[in-house]
């Protein structure tokens, strides 16, 4: 299966969910045009409270559509944009990508993967019990985060549903994704 975009979402206001769009425009070094989380420095409220001068490593949030089917097996209904992601994907194991992977999307947009989304309590406010579905522990007791990955925009461009995604892995040794 070819990796591709299944939905794009953005919101100019702070809200947990983001409405789907026909397209989004990625701006190099900033994020999604018109999205509340776009900017050179952090925009997520909890991070702004800690240090508003931190670089924004969370400009664009991607989530794999396969997660929706997985949580659906336990009775949760989740659609694209409802977990706050900007780009919903299919056919690419986002969580297995190493830090620094470049994602070439559509005609020219390029994202650099910075890390894992750290799921927050708002997920349970959206649907009670969903947080335990997207964050847990493996057999060794390590935390496993499944709520997508974060990235920064290296090259801007328009992204639409149906656009292909090509992953370019960084030079080895690969660094596994950590929460950002």
């Amino acid at each position: 299966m070819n990796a591709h975009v299944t939905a794009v979402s953005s919101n100019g206001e702070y809200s947990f969910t983001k409405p789907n769009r026909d397209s989004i425009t990625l701006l190099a070094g900033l994020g999604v045009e018109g999205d509340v989380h776009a900017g050179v420095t952090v925009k997520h409220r909890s991070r702004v409270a800690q240090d508003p001068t931190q670089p924004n490593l969370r400009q664009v949030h991607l989530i794999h559509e396969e997660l929706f089917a997985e949580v659906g097996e336990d009775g949760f209904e989740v659609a694209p944009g409802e977990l706050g992601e900007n780009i919903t994907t299919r056919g690419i194991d986002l969580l297995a990508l190493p830090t620094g992977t470049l994602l070439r999307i559509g005609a020219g947009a390029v994202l650099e993967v910075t890390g894992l989304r750290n799921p927050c309590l708002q997920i349970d406010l959206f649907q009670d019990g969903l947080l335990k579905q997207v964050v847990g522990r493996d057999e060794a007791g390590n935390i496993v985060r499944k709520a997508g990955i974060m990235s920064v925009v290296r090259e801007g461009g328009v992204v639409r549903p149906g656009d292909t995604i090509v992953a370019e892995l960084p030079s080895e040794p690969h660094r596994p994704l950590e929460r950002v």
Side-chain angles (χ1 to χ4, degrees), residues 77-112:
E77 289 186 33
V78 181
E82 289 187 336
L83 293 181
E85 75 275 11
N86 300 108
I87 299 175
T88 309
T89 68
R90 176 167 281 289
I92 183 170
D93 188 353
L94 297 175
L95 304 178
L97 297 173
T99 302
T101 297
L102 296 180
L103 297 175
R104 298 189 178 278
I105 304 176
V110 179
L111 298 175
E112 180 179 339

Side-chain angles (χ1 to χ4, degrees), residues 47-160:
R47 297 181 194 274
V48 169
Q50 291 174 356
D51 177 3
T53 66
Q54 295 176 75
N56 188 1
L57 301 178
R58 299 167 56 104
Q59 294 174 356
V60 182
H61 175 200
L62 296 93
I63 204 164
H64 50 295
E65 188 174 67
E66 292 86 350
L67 177 65
F68 304 156
E70 182 182 326
V71 301
E73 292 174 8
D74 291 314
F76 295 92
E77 289 186 33
V78 181
E82 289 187 336
L83 293 181
E85 75 275 11
N86 300 108
I87 299 175
T88 309
T89 68
R90 176 167 281 289
I92 183 170
D93 188 353
L94 297 175
L95 304 178
L97 297 173
T99 302
T101 297
L102 296 180
L103 297 175
R104 298 189 178 278
I105 304 176
V110 179
L111 298 175
E112 180 179 339
V113 176
T114 56
L116 294 168
R117 176 191 183 184
N118 191 29
C120 65
L121 292 175
Q122 290 185 63
I123 291 176
D124 268 350
L125 296 176
F126 171 66
Q127 287 187 40
D128 189 40
L130 185 56
L131 182 60
K132 287 185 180 180
Q133 300 294 313
V134 298
V135 65
R137 294 196 180 268
D138 64 15
E139 306 80 38
N142 300 310
I143 295 175
V144 176
R145 295 172 177 87
K146 299 190 269 184
I149 63 171
M150 306 307 282
S151 64
V152 294
V153 182
R154 291 294 176 223
E155 295 180 31
V158 176
V159 176
R160 295 177 178 85

